[in-house]
Amino acid sequence: MKLWGGRFTGETNELVAKYNSSISFDSRFWREDIKGSIAHALMLGNQGIITREEADQIHKGLTDIYSDIEAGRLQIDMEAEDIHSFVESVLTERIGEAGKKLHTGRSRNDQVALDMRMYSRNCAKEVAKLLKKLQTTIFTLIKENTETYMPGFTHLQKAQPVTLSHHLGAYFEMFERDRSRLKDAYNRMNFSPLGSGALAGTTYPLDREMAAHTLDFAGPTENSMDGVSDRDYLIELLSAFSTIMMHLSRFSEEIIIWNTNEYRFVEIDDAYSTGSSIMPQKKNPDIAELVRGKTGRVYGSLMTMLTVLKGLPLAYNKDLQEDKEAFFDAYDTVTDSITLFDGMLSTIHFNKEVMAQSARNGFTNATDAADYLVTHGIPFRDAHGIIGRLVLYCIDKQKALDDLTLEEFQSFSPAFGEDIFDAISLKTCVEKRNTIGAPGTKAIERMIEHCENCLNA
Ligand code: ARG
């Protein structure tokens, strides 16, 4: 049954009905729709706009519908126009006249705006929870790998040695910022549009504060035209989701590289990789590749929302119905991606010896060799030149700096002494770097404490 049939005499074109209908996707927030209606009905009763008996009848009717859908006793009818019409028509069928009063002082415009806020603020919480779980996995790896040496890269060229703890600590920070972005968005969006009506409020003495607080909002939205047409919060959430995917995608890219035969830094667990139908030797990092690929999809949803809103005059326009599929798809993608990435990371095997060997072979201690000369009285620019020539020599001899004899060192500069070997050992190179945020032992201790604080906050 249509909620708006009165003014019409002709039938709706079949394709129009299908094109217009939103039940196939807005049925997802049936819980929010019912909770919002209960809060509205109780407020109407409290204000004497409907009688207390009617409010109680509606309350009971809606509670029953809720538990019947939950238990599978009531199927949502996919022929209905949207979830709002479905719930209202079942209610009226079940409780009669009182059901027809539920929509007093309300429009589907503020109703859908309310449902979407309630649903999406919950999504923000869920995603933050999953991120925290992923950070916990990362934190475990951080604590286990303070002495797992590896090359740090710039330009994807070996640069200076770091530890796996330090490298993973960078991702911990990214996901910490992501969580704080979600929290910011949550606090800004947590206002109830219910009571905005179609666009211009209503003449009934609604208590918007009461309805807002019943539904755990910080308060009502301030302007009714904005209340029904604002979807900024979805842009903020989609932007936060996009940034999360971008971070996961960077991490995925590294895992894909580390998993190559050329690197062999990691081995992905069988449960999180797949094989090839033709090449028996293959074990592919599909999850990492899919996370990288699906990032584009979430960016797409953000673009959808920005574009839907850019030319919209105030207040409600049907274009706004497009917010749902875009947001739901992004939400599903981001939650699946975090969950699977977390599973992959918590079961991955790090080939620690290969990683350390890679750091040794790549002249990652060249800066430290130059610093050694500086501490022995040579100006940095000259030291840089001496070590540059030493590196060339090593490349020619296919040796690492650590493999040279003291005589070979001294043939480049008499400033070299026996202590050069200790000064450029992987362990020393890393452990000495103790500025805040660096990979040295003291700095990592500080980082671990900081991570712990983040997870306990
Ligand atoms: N399905 C609609 C949406 O998602 C609900 C609001 C309908 N309002 C209206 N004036 N037709 O936006």
Side-chain angles (χ1 to χ4, degrees):
M1 216 245 329
K2 289 192 186 87
L3 297 176
W4 39 264
R7 190 225 180 279
F8 288 75
T9 50
E11 286 299 311
T12 316
N13 171 294
E14 222 175 284
L15 187 56
V16 168
K18 189 161 164 255
Y19 196 66
N20 187 49
S21 155
S22 55
I23 189 98
S24 64
F25 45 88
D26 64 19
S27 53
R28 194 194 262 247
F29 50 51
W30 64 267
R31 289 182 182 81
E32 288 73 14
D33 193 74
I34 295 176
K35 284 181 192 162
S37 288
I38 292 175
H40 183 65
L42 292 179
M43 181 274 293
L44 291 178
N46 209 48
Q47 296 298 99
I49 301 166
I50 59 176
T51 66
R52 284 216 183 261
E53 294 68 46
E54 287 165 336
D56 290 343
Q57 257 182 296
I58 295 174
H59 186 183
K60 179 167 185 319
L62 287 171
T63 310
D64 290 346
I65 292 175
Y66 192 103
S67 45
D68 287 350
I69 298 178
E70 189 98 284
R73 286 187 296 267
L74 174 65
Q75 298 300 324
I76 296 174
D77 175 11
M78 288 298 147
E79 297 300 310
E81 183 183 337
D82 52 36
I83 189 65
H84 325 297
S85 337
F86 172 73
V87 172
E88 195 181 318
S89 64
V90 176
L91 181 72
T92 307
E93 237 169 68
R94 289 186 174 187
I95 70 165
E97 286 305 302
K100 295 189 196 162
K101 297 194 174 178
L102 167 63
H103 212 50
T104 314
R106 185 175 72 167
S107 153
R108 273 186 299 167
N109 297 353
D110 58 344
Q111 188 177 359
V112 76
L114 174 75
D115 293 359
M116 199 58 192
R117 277 201 203 223
M118 286 172 66
Y119 186 84
S120 57
R121 73 178 171 178
N122 209 34
C123 295
K125 275 194 174 161
E126 274 306 307
V127 172
K129 224 191 277 172
L130 290 175
L131 280 179
K132 190 167 181 179
K133 192 168 167 293
L134 173 60
Q135 284 181 296
T136 309
T137 300
I138 295 174
F139 186 47
T140 305
L141 290 170
I142 286 177
K143 285 185 290 186
E144 286 168 6
N145 289 286
T146 53
E147 288 182 23
T148 305
Y149 302 111
M150 64 181 286
F153 297 84
T154 61
H155 313 273
L156 213 50
Q157 307 265 327
K158 293 180 193 176
Q160 288 173 339
V162 293
T163 62
L164 183 56
S165 290
H166 189 235
H167 196 118
L168 294 175
Y171 285 103
F172 187 98
E173 288 305 300
M174 295 178 223
F175 296 127
E176 185 63 21
R177 288 195 295 276
D178 288 333
R179 278 203 300 144
S180 100
R181 259 185 281 276
L182 289 170
K183 203 166 153 204
D184 287 349
Y186 188 99
N187 290 336
R188 218 174 352 263
M189 74 182 280
N190 197 25
F191 293 89
S192 165
L194 188 62
S196 297
L199 78 161
T202 151
T203 53
Y204 298 103
L206 302 186
D207 184 348
R208 291 195 60 205
E209 297 269 358
M210 176 190 170
H213 292 133
T214 313
L215 296 168
D216 286 328
F217 284 98
T221 52
E222 289 295 331
N223 179 297
S224 61
M225 292 179 84
D226 184 46
V228 289
S229 67
D230 168 32
R231 298 293 183 275
D232 291 3
Y233 61 96
L234 293 179
I235 290 180
E236 289 191 40
L237 293 178
L238 287 168
S239 164
F241 291 176
S242 296
T243 309
I244 292 166
M245 289 303 292
M246 178 272 287
H247 289 151
L248 286 175
S249 183
R250 290 181 76 174
F251 205 165
S252 293
E253 172 71 8
E254 297 210 286
I255 287 182
I256 292 162
I257 293 172
W258 292 350
N259 184 61
T260 57
N261 286 334
E262 290 69 20
Y263 275 73
R264 289 196 308 112
F265 282 10
V266 296
E267 176 139 3
I268 298 172
D269 193 81
D270 282 0
Y272 290 92
S273 44
T274 63
S276 154
S277 59
I278 176 169
M279 298 165 283
Q281 82 282 14
K282 285 268 186 136
K283 197 172 158 191
N284 297 326
D286 297 52
I287 294 305
E289 290 171 15
L290 278 171
V291 166
R292 190 177 58 185
K294 284 177 190 288
T295 300
R297 204 174 156 129
V298 177
Y299 292 1
S301 292
L302 173 60
M303 284 309 133
T304 298
M305 269 328 288
L306 286 166
T307 312
V308 162
L309 288 170
K310 77 177 272 292
L312 274 198
L314 292 176
Y316 180 85
N317 297 270
K318 198 60 175 268
D319 315 42
L320 289 171
Q321 179 165 292
E322 284 298 303
D323 63 353
K324 289 164 206 65
E325 284 166 293
F327 182 79
F328 297 157
D329 186 75
Y331 173 63
D332 292 344
T333 306
V334 82
T335 49
D336 286 352
S337 300
I338 302 172
T339 306
L340 287 171
F341 192 94
D342 191 8
M344 175 181 66
L345 189 67
S346 57
T347 52
I348 211 164
H349 173 76
F350 289 95
N351 294 326
K352 300 184 185 179
E353 203 26 62
V354 176
M355 295 167 93
Q357 201 46 44
S358 168
R360 263 182 222 109
N361 291 343
F363 302 106
T364 59
N365 51 3
T367 315
D368 296 83
D371 289 342
Y372 171 90
L373 288 178
V374 171
T375 59
H376 289 71
I378 312 236
F380 182 77
R381 204 35 72 207
D382 294 340
H384 189 282
I386 294 168
I387 304 300
R389 286 191 289 283
L390 247 174
V391 166
L392 257 185
Y393 173 85
C394 287
I395 292 171
D396 186 46
K397 295 270 183 269
Q398 296 201 0
K399 284 181 166 184
L401 284 175
D402 319 55
D403 301 331
L404 298 179
T405 62
L406 184 57
E407 290 68 41
E408 283 175 300
F409 271 115
Q410 286 175 337
S411 68
F412 285 83
S413 166
F416 284 115
E418 193 58 55
D419 53 348
I420 177 64
F421 296 104
D422 183 47
I424 62 170
S425 81
L426 211 45
K427 201 169 154 62
T428 320
C429 291
V430 172
E431 284 180 0
K432 277 189 325 204
R433 302 187 128 74
N434 278 313
T435 43
I436 293 175
T441 320
K442 280 266 158 307
I444 290 291
E445 269 169 26
R446 185 183 186 278
M447 181 188 90
I448 288 178
E449 207 181 300
H450 155 77
C451 293
E452 213 146 38
N453 291 339
C454 294
L455 291 174
N456 290 332

